[in-house]
Amino acid sequence: MNDTAPTAEKGSPARPQKTALITGVNGQDGSYLAEMLLGQGYRVYGLTRDQGLLYSTNTLHLKDRLKLIYSDYTIQNLSETLRTIRPNEVYNLAGQTYVSKSWEMFDETLKASGILPSSLLEAIVNVDRGIRFFQASSSEIFSAQGSTPLSEQSPISPRNPYGCSKALAHHMVQAYRQHYDLFAVSGILFPHESPRRDSAFVFKKIVQTAVKIKLGRESTLQMGNLAAVRDWGYAPEFAIA
């Protein structure tokens, strides 16, 4: 699996420099997207709640080109950030990413995956309604017992706090788009992996444990629900989309 980000096509005409703001920039999706946009000539900022403004292993190589900005995720602070950097586009990729732990991390899940995107939309209305907004929605908004294949018209009926929070954001994007005529869209993402994925997720866990077994450091691979069925994609390709 290649750990490189997609780049702009060669020979494409030069465009005026744009500015993008990415939440969750230190994760796999955010780092690949940052690389791609920087490669297309964007000025890229990443939003983080880390007051030390630390870069993760995914973004350390971008330190000289990617600027991190601290935010407490309140509407006032988000509005001030938008006024300062004047982004053309905002990509909300932040959130509590562990579906199974969302019952234990209810408050964090609701705030990060439901309230933050809603607050970003309100901040855009406050500052500049011309800003384009992308929300990373999730297939978890649908019912596990729903019909397949899924489509945008499938019933939204989440079954866990993660899915409920994502459904809140999904509906808020639609409401703000219709009420304020914003360019605000949700991309309904299914599970996706890459070498930058956290080791707690199944693909990385399988690969790392297989290597440890080969080296004689472990003898077994312990998994969770073996009956779970998922459709997986490749994170850099999701960044292109």
Side-chain angles (χ1 to χ4, degrees):
M1 188 175 284
N2 193 333
D3 188 25
T4 57
T7 58
E9 294 184 5
K10 293 182 179 180
S12 58
R15 293 174 293 179
Q17 187 176 38
K18 293 182 179 180
T19 299
L21 176 65
I22 304 173
T23 70
V25 72
N26 278 323
Q28 65 165 359
D29 293 351
S31 61
Y32 282 122
L33 180 61
E35 283 183 0
M36 186 184 75
L37 294 178
L38 286 167
Q40 293 181 357
Y42 276 67
R43 182 184 297 108
V44 180
Y45 294 85
L47 208 60
T48 177
R49 286 183 293 177
D50 174 18
Q51 296 191 42
L53 299 179
L54 299 177
Y55 294 79
S56 72
T57 54
N58 292 336
T59 55
L60 194 58
H61 64 295
L62 302 174
K63 190 174 182 179
D64 293 335
R65 297 190 292 157
L66 169 67
K67 182 175 177 58
L68 294 184
I69 299 176
Y70 168 76
S71 175
D72 60 9
Y73 288 179
T74 61
I75 294 175
Q76 179 181 0
N77 183 268
L78 293 170
S79 297
E80 291 173 355
T81 299
L82 295 183
R83 289 191 186 96
T84 300
I85 69 173
R86 310 299 299 185
N88 303 94
E89 302 162 11
V90 173
Y91 298 87
N92 183 46
L93 308 180
Q96 193 289 106
T97 57
Y98 297 96
V99 177
S100 61
K101 294 182 180 180
S102 63
W103 292 103
E104 306 162 22
M105 306 170 65
F106 172 81
D107 187 57
E108 169 63 17
T109 301
L110 179 60
K111 288 179 179 178
S113 299
I115 302 302
L116 171 58
S118 304
S119 297
L120 280 167
L121 287 163
E122 183 63 19
I124 288 172
V125 170
N126 291 342
V127 176
D128 180 2
R129 298 183 187 184
I131 295 173
R132 291 173 168 237
F133 178 77
F134 174 84
Q135 163 64 15
S137 191
S138 169
S139 60
E140 287 291 324
I141 66 176
F142 300 117
S143 170
Q145 290 75 41
S147 61
T148 55
L150 295 170
S151 74
E152 292 90 339
Q153 285 72 45
S154 298
I156 294 179
S157 182
R159 291 293 186 267
N160 53 63
Y162 177 89
C164 290
S165 300
K166 286 290 189 177
L168 167 62
H170 189 87
H171 284 306
M172 290 295 279
V173 168
Q174 182 181 43
Y176 269 79
R177 179 174 63 246
Q178 294 176 347
H179 187 73
Y180 291 108
D181 194 29
L182 302 180
F183 185 98
V185 296
S186 292
I188 304 174
L189 309 184
F190 283 74
H192 46 287
E193 305 293 333
S194 76
R196 299 181 186 180
R197 187 62 142 159
D198 188 279
S199 59
F201 289 87
V202 63
F203 262 79
K204 194 70 170 284
K205 181 179 181 180
I206 291 172
V207 171
Q208 289 187 339
T209 305
V211 172
K212 291 177 182 178
I213 291 174
K214 176 67 175 179
L215 296 175
R217 297 175 183 172
E218 291 190 14
S219 58
T220 59
L221 167 63
Q222 183 175 348
M223 301 291 288
N225 180 13
L226 297 180
V229 178
R230 290 291 187 271
D231 181 38
W232 271 283
Y234 184 38
E237 294 178 345
F238 277 48
I240 294 174

